[in-house]
Each structure stands twice: as C-alpha cells, then as structure tokens.
Amino acid sequence: MTVNDDVFTDWKNREELAETMIPIIGRLHRERDVTILLHSRSLVNKSVVSILKTHRFARQIAGEELSITETFPFLQALSALDLGPSQIDLGLLAEAHRADDRGLSPAEFTAEAVAGATGANKLERQAPRDVVLYGFGRIGRLLARLLVEKAGGLRLRAIVVRNGGGDDLVKRASLLRRDSIHGQFQGTITVDEATNTIVANGNAIQVIYSNDPSEVDYTAYGIDNAILIDNTGRWRDREGLSAHLRPGIAKVVLTAPGKGDVPNIVHGVNHDTVKPDEQIISCASCTTNAIVPPLKAMNDAYGVLRGHVETVHSFTNDQNLLDNYHKADRRGRSAPLNMVITETGAASAVAKALPELQAKISGSSIRVPVPDVSIAILNLQLARETTREEVLEHLRDVSLTSPLKRQIDFIDSPDAVSSDFIGSRHASIVDAGATKVEGDNAILYLWYDNEFGYSCQVVRVVQHVSGVEYPTFPAATN
C-alpha cells in the first residue's frame, strides 16, 4: 500500500466517524438541549467535512490537529449520561483528559467532568422564550437565522416592519432565504399570505405591519413575556425604547449603542451585571464588541495605560451607492468607490462595558469598499514590558480555555484576508501574524464580521437575559 493509499484510507475512516457523530450530536441537542462544541465551535447541524475541518482547526491554536478518533469516545460517553441542558466542549474534554494522570477511561473522566450537568445537578428544560424582531434589515435577518437555529430555547414569534406595498411578505421571505454575503438559508422557507406568516424550518413567524411601537398589542398574536430586539436604531435612550414595552413584551434589547442610562452590554465581559428586573439594555456596537474582550484580556494580564483604536470598517447601507445628499459628513460620497473617514463611538462606549479599565481609549474609523468584515487596529500602551511571543501565547490561551473563548478567536495564517472571516461567530479574531509588540507597546489587529459575529453576540445576550444560556463543561480554567 502506498503513502497516498494510507492517507486516503485514514481520511475515509475519519469520515465514517464524523458520520457516526452527527446523529448523536443531533439527538443530544434535540432531546436534551445539549450543544456539543469543539473549542467553542458548535458541531450541531454541521456536515461531515465541517466536523473534520473543525478538528483540524485546533492545529492553528494548539499546535497539532485534534483527531476525531480522540474526541469520539467522549461523545459516546456523553450519549450514555443523564444530561440536562448544557454546552459541552469535546476539545476541552480531550485536552483535560490528556493532562490528567489518574489513568481514568474517557467514560470515567467524562462522567466526572460534566457532573454538574447530570443527575440531581442537571437543569430542567424550559419552555422556549418568545422573541420579537422590530425591524428586518441586515442584522434583523441574520438574527432571524440564528433564532431559528436555536429554536429549542428561543422562539422567534414575530417580526415588525412597515408595509412596503405589493408582495411585501414574499420579498421579505426571499431576502431571508438568500443573502449575497452569507449565502443560502440552511433549511426551508414558505410563505402564508393569508395569515401574514413566514414559516422557516417549521417556525411560524408572524409578520406584523406597524409604523409605531405604540400601535401593537402582541398578546393578540399569542405572544407573552417576550424579548423584543430593536434593530432599527431609531430609538437609543430609555424613553424612546420604553415605547416597545407593550402588552406581551417584557424586555427590550437594542442592537446599537444605548444612550443615557441604558446599559451597554458586551457578552463575555459584563453580561453578568444585567439586573434581573432591567427591562431595557443595549448590545452596544459591532466594533465595541470586537475591541472590549481583547482589551479586557490585555488589561487583566498586562494593565493598559492608554490606547487608540482605528477601525477599517466595511460600508453599510447607511451610506450611498453613488454620490448623493446625506445628513452626515462624507457619508454621502459613493461607498463602493471610496474610503470614507467617519467617526466611531466604540472607544467612548468602552467605559460603559468595561468600567474597571481606567485607561483613556480614543478612536476613529475609515469605511472601505467591502460589504462585510472589518478590522480594528488596537494600539495599546501597557503597564509593563512584554514580548510578542508572550502576548500571542496569552491571547491563544484566552481563545481556547478562558471565559472569553466565545468572544475571541485566534488565527496564525500568513494569507488571511477579510473574506476568510465571513460567518465567524466570534466577536473578534486576533491575527497573530500582524501582531506587533515592542517593550510596553502592543498593536493588535482584530478581524470581525460586523454583521454575523455581532448578531451572535446579540443572541448570546438574549439567551442570558431569558435564562436559557446554559453552562459550559468542562468549566473554563482561567
């Protein structure tokens, strides 16, 4: 047998294992609300090739590829346990077992590592929490995709939009079905014009036409105790957003920076500060979500005395395709043809999300002719001197095992470009190759999908405030 034959046989064996994993992962998710992860990446509803690629990704982080033959026994062990709702990371299980010197079998080690999710310790499954989307633009439609995907704990019941006239319902369903950047919707979408309903993967989503929040009684549609996500950005302060607190709505989440006393929440950093009785919160901006987790990671390890963030941001539909009047300076110039200097509120929002950071952070932004994925260049003066190797090792560890592993990703590829990060579910991705450190100065290059990555952060906040954000096992080590 040749080397090529050996490689091919090994690949087919791994394919077979991945095929065997898929129904187990699906059954755990469907029947027990257990999400199987691999280094913080969900394996639910993933293809054979996607599962194998996720295993291979570990090589960029840990230095060697994680073999599916190593993780499969842990998944088998999980399937035999009496698990409650939780998230379980096979990568962390395998890594922790490798470091354990007690000689425990995968089954014995797994039972011990996830004891908090089994038997008398397990959480009980809850009825799905109703969610309403107010607005159905770029972020709204991505949130819809994510909410349909997570229908076990959150259920998208309605979207509220202005009536655009003829074929409005059909056109909105079509925009949900196809996306020029993020591709096809993973599933089926049908339209019931008689009831103004879009059905996505069996989820009946009521389309409510309204010009003003005060016009809607959500209980008339069977919606109760819902979380409303405002994607319009029309209202930013407590007074304006309070108009959404109509019959059937319990909480309001804004997908833009909040003003005044509205809490700005970055999941992974300060989501645990949300008070149970708080009815109105903001998820800040995509850029704030991209820079605050790495800022916290750097401040915790080195101290940050001051910093500046320069964002190179993809254009948005707030800008003009061709030169035309715009109320803001420069944004009236053609977005696909120009780099456009503009402002960013991300730096000033840091203090709200990360009050323990006393450093002054300034910021500016340039919009560039790409439709999605941006990069934040974070220039930091640290409280002590360090090295590039030390910083990269710290950020690599943070992306793997810390409580920020769902927010911070890490890549060490010499050929990485912006389109590589379309669809990333992390708030930001550290580009190891571009990182610069000299003495007490560190410059981090942070990629972020300003549409999808941010939408994932919003859904995490909604899961948290709704009580369906389940614990992850094994627990983070730092």
Side-chain angles (χ1 to χ4, degrees):
M1 182 177 289
T2 67
V3 173
N4 286 342
D5 290 335
D6 288 341
V7 172
F8 184 70
T9 299
D10 178 62
W11 172 261
K12 301 305 287 186
N13 290 339
R14 287 187 288 143
E15 271 190 328
E16 184 178 2
L17 273 182
E19 288 170 353
T20 306
M21 293 177 85
I22 288 173
I24 301 174
I25 293 168
R27 189 164 56 251
L28 286 170
H29 190 254
R30 184 175 59 257
E31 297 177 1
R32 306 186 195 177
D33 258 3
V34 174
T35 299
I36 299 299
L37 310 172
L38 191 75
H39 284 316
S40 78
R41 288 163 163 76
S42 173
L43 297 184
V44 176
N45 293 328
K46 295 297 187 291
S47 68
V48 167
V49 171
S50 180
I51 290 173
L52 292 175
K53 284 182 67 176
T54 305
H55 279 77
R56 184 171 176 78
F57 172 81
R59 184 178 65 171
Q60 296 185 43
I61 303 286
E64 59 181 344
E65 184 172 342
L66 183 62
S67 172
I68 197 168
T69 60
E70 187 176 2
T71 60
F72 183 69
F74 295 98
L75 182 62
Q76 284 183 306
L78 290 170
S79 69
L81 295 175
D82 180 26
L83 292 168
S86 55
Q87 299 184 104
I88 300 176
D89 196 312
L90 293 181
L92 294 185
L93 268 176
E95 186 178 90
H97 180 255
R98 197 184 302 131
D100 190 83
D101 60 2
R102 293 175 295 165
L104 299 178
S105 69
E108 293 168 333
F109 185 84
T110 299
E112 179 181 280
V114 303
T118 61
N121 296 321
K122 71 179 184 181
L123 299 173
E124 294 302 319
R125 296 188 72 177
Q126 300 180 26
R129 183 73 176 266
D130 289 352
V131 179
V132 173
L133 295 176
Y134 199 97
F136 205 52
R138 296 298 302 153
I139 299 300
R141 292 193 296 274
L142 291 177
L143 288 173
R145 290 186 175 203
L146 288 165
L147 290 167
V148 168
E149 176 186 302
K150 301 179 183 299
L154 301 173
R155 181 160 296 170
L156 177 57
R157 295 293 309 279
I159 62 173
V160 184
V161 293
R162 294 182 178 182
N163 195 327
D167 294 329
D168 181 275
L169 189 68
V170 172
K171 289 179 179 178
R172 293 188 188 278
S174 182
L175 285 169
L176 179 60
R177 185 182 291 114
R178 304 176 183 88
D179 190 283
S180 300
I181 296 170
H182 300 283
Q184 297 277 344
F185 175 81
Q186 296 301 303
T188 63
I189 293 176
T190 57
V191 172
D192 186 342
E193 294 188 78
T195 60
N196 277 346
T197 302
I198 297 173
V199 181
N201 289 357
N203 294 264
I205 306 166
Q206 182 70 53
V207 178
I208 302 171
Y209 292 111
S210 175
N211 294 321
D212 189 90
S214 63
E215 298 175 354
V216 188
D217 179 351
Y218 294 94
T219 59
Y221 301 94
I223 296 169
D224 182 52
N225 195 36
I227 298 173
L228 182 144
I229 307 175
D230 184 324
N231 313 293
T232 68
R234 288 177 61 193
W235 304 278
R236 301 283 188 93
D237 59 12
R238 187 173 296 275
E239 180 182 2
L241 293 167
S242 293
H244 287 303
L245 294 172
R246 302 282 298 154
I249 303 299
K251 295 180 183 292
V252 178
V253 175
L254 171 65
T255 62
K259 295 182 178 180
D261 67 342
V262 175
N264 280 255
I265 303 301
V266 173
H267 190 275
V269 175
N270 69 334
H271 65 276
D272 55 356
T273 65
V274 180
K275 299 175 182 177
D277 60 350
E278 179 60 77
Q279 290 184 290
I280 296 173
I281 62 173
S282 157
C283 289
S285 70
C286 57
T287 302
T288 303
N289 277 264
I291 66 173
V292 165
L295 267 173
K296 176 173 173 54
M298 293 298 288
N299 190 54
D300 288 349
Y302 305 103
V304 175
L305 301 182
R306 66 174 292 111
H308 176 81
V309 60
E310 186 77 33
T311 68
V312 182
H313 199 290
S314 59
F315 62 76
T316 68
N317 60 11
D318 166 68
Q319 295 171 256
N320 293 332
L321 286 174
L322 295 172
D323 290 0
N324 207 348
Y325 173 80
H326 195 292
K327 64 181 181 180
D329 294 340
R330 305 185 200 246
R331 292 198 191 189
R333 303 300 298 277
S334 172
L337 299 177
N338 293 291
M339 293 189 291
V340 179
I341 297 173
T342 186
E343 72 284 343
T344 176
S348 59
V350 168
K352 270 192 168 185
L354 195 59
E356 65 266 31
L357 180 70
Q358 298 301 308
K360 175 178 174 54
I361 305 295
S362 58
S364 52
S365 180
I366 302 172
R367 298 285 179 93
V368 295
V370 294
D372 187 31
V373 180
S374 304
I375 190 166
I377 305 166
L378 195 56
N379 193 332
L380 304 176
Q381 182 186 351
L382 306 177
R384 69 175 175 88
E385 292 191 353
T386 181
T387 65
R388 181 174 183 272
E389 290 72 25
E390 183 186 353
V391 168
L392 289 178
E393 186 62 29
H394 169 61
L395 293 174
R396 182 187 289 112
D397 289 345
V398 166
S399 74
L400 265 179
T401 61
S402 83
L404 291 171
K405 64 182 180 291
R406 297 169 73 193
Q407 283 70 44
I408 299 177
D409 202 357
F410 185 95
I411 188 166
D412 189 4
S413 170
D415 295 321
V417 293
S418 62
S419 61
D420 296 332
F421 306 104
I422 293 174
S424 170
R425 296 183 177 231
H426 289 79
S428 63
I429 305 100
V430 176
D431 191 316
T435 300
K436 294 174 173 54
V437 179
E438 185 173 346
D440 63 355
N441 178 241
I443 304 175
L444 308 182
Y445 285 72
L446 309 167
W447 298 101
Y448 58 109
D449 184 329
N450 47 278
E451 293 186 335
F452 196 73
Y454 175 68
S455 296
C456 290
Q457 281 287 88
V458 173
V459 169
R460 290 172 190 136
V461 170
V462 173
Q463 287 177 312
H464 176 73
V465 300
S466 67
V468 296
E469 184 182 39
Y470 301 130
T472 299
F473 297 93
T477 57
N478 62 317

